[in-house]
Amino acid sequence: MPVNRIDKLFSDLKIRKKKALIAYVTGGYPTLSIMDRAVRDLVRSGVDLVEVGIPFSDPIADGPTLQFSSQKALEAGVTPVTVLDWVKVFRKTHETPVVLMTYMNPLQRMGLDVFARRARAAGVDGIIVPDLIIEEGGALEKALTRVGIHLIYLVAPTTPPKRRAAIARRSRGFLYAVSLTGVTGVRRALPKSLGSFLADVRRKSPLPVAVGFGISDPRQARTAALHADGVIVGSAFVNRLKNRESLAPFARSLRHSLDSVTRRS
């Protein structure tokens, strides 16, 4: 089985002493064609990994921005199959790792093994499932492992230390560190305890650690990158899509900010 693109990415970035810039977009929002052009612009502008949300009617981890985009995509008829078909087309021209963020309901409705095989055929590299706890993750882990796709678990500031270690042992590709309590969305400031939280997470995991939730400008991205291997930005990109703005200038500013961390180290 070929090396997973996520593993290759973080291995390459470590050699180059760079931080991963990870961008989230909602699948099919505001339209599939606009989303497609936006993702390709993001990659040209320095994004290392693309996270695509499968629209879901009850996205409990998402704040107002991503809830709105998910609802609009659903109203437009976007389904898990729509997103997988998009990945398949994207994969014809790009080797950029693609991670899908979704919830258990759509996966169970399709069937875990069926989903895993279709995701593998499309060229998906990883799956994030915010409402999946490790005690209930065994079946999906097996289905994804069989086809070489990573299941990426989340760890939050409220996760007890022993549980952080257990989650780290079960995650593959990278560990998703949630920067704050609450849902996704733009914040004016990141928690002052972010550095100590991420330091503890990194001590518990040999995996790269990427931090997301609330990161919305280059200054915050730089702060997060001081303590993590990657930074995930979602709502700030989706807001720009909502306003019909180009994502490229913002992505380049984030890239510059992350690179400034490694230039000084």
Side-chain angles (χ1 to χ4, degrees):
M1 193 171 290
V3 175
N4 187 291
R5 294 179 188 87
I6 299 171
D7 297 334
K8 185 177 186 307
L9 169 67
F10 279 102
S11 177
D12 290 346
L13 291 175
K14 185 175 182 180
I15 293 170
R16 294 159 57 199
K17 298 182 178 179
K18 295 189 70 173
K19 306 286 185 173
L21 176 57
I22 301 171
Y24 170 96
V25 295
T26 301
Y29 178 79
T31 68
L32 195 61
S33 61
I34 292 175
M35 185 213 82
D36 178 66
R37 289 196 298 274
V39 169
R40 293 167 193 273
D41 278 349
L42 287 170
V43 173
R44 282 192 292 268
S45 303
V47 165
D48 299 297
L49 187 154
V50 177
E51 181 186 340
V52 182
I54 293 178
F56 180 54
S57 58
D58 189 20
I60 58 172
D62 293 334
T65 298
L66 301 193
Q67 286 184 21
F68 176 84
S69 62
S70 192
Q71 185 59 40
K72 289 297 180 184
L74 287 171
E75 290 172 3
V78 176
T79 67
V81 173
T82 308
V83 176
L84 291 173
D85 287 346
W86 173 83
V87 177
K88 196 171 185 178
V89 173
F90 178 75
R91 189 56 74 216
K92 291 179 180 177
T93 53
H94 290 74
E95 280 300 303
T96 305
V98 174
V99 171
L100 300 184
M101 179 173 172
T102 184
Y103 292 84
M104 279 306 293
N105 188 293
L107 301 184
Q108 290 172 327
R109 184 171 182 177
M110 183 180 289
L112 301 184
D113 287 319
V114 172
F115 173 82
R117 288 196 298 271
R118 294 188 75 159
R120 169 66 179 175
V124 172
D125 305 290
I127 307 291
I128 298 169
V129 188
D131 62 346
L132 178 66
I133 58 176
I134 54 174
E135 288 80 0
E136 298 177 357
L140 183 58
E141 285 179 28
K142 289 179 182 176
L144 294 177
T145 300
R146 278 194 286 268
V147 298
I149 294 177
H150 289 332
L151 179 57
I152 300 156
Y153 282 104
L154 291 87
V155 61
T158 52
T159 306
K162 285 187 178 179
R163 188 169 178 80
R164 291 178 188 176
I167 293 172
R169 287 194 295 272
R170 297 277 291 276
S171 194
R172 296 291 180 270
F174 66 89
L175 190 60
Y176 192 133
V178 177
S179 71
L180 43 77
T181 56
V183 296
T184 64
V186 171
R187 303 293 200 283
R188 290 186 177 181
L190 296 176
K192 293 181 179 178
S193 59
L194 180 63
S196 60
F197 164 58
L198 292 175
D200 183 71
V201 172
R202 288 167 69 86
R203 281 194 296 270
K204 289 179 168 55
S205 176
L207 288 175
V209 175
V211 58
F213 282 47
I215 300 169
S216 56
D217 62 43
R219 179 180 56 82
Q220 292 176 345
R222 186 181 187 285
T223 298
L226 290 170
H227 309 286
D229 303 292
V231 174
I232 304 165
V233 179
S235 295
F237 280 124
V238 174
N239 272 331
R240 283 168 170 78
L241 283 173
K242 182 180 179 182
N243 297 327
R244 299 294 194 270
E245 297 176 30
S246 170
L247 304 188
F250 182 53
R252 287 195 293 270
S253 69
L254 293 170
R255 177 79 270 163
H256 179 76
S257 185
L258 265 58
D259 290 346
S260 72
V261 174
T262 49
R263 279 198 298 268
R264 292 172 61 88
S265 62

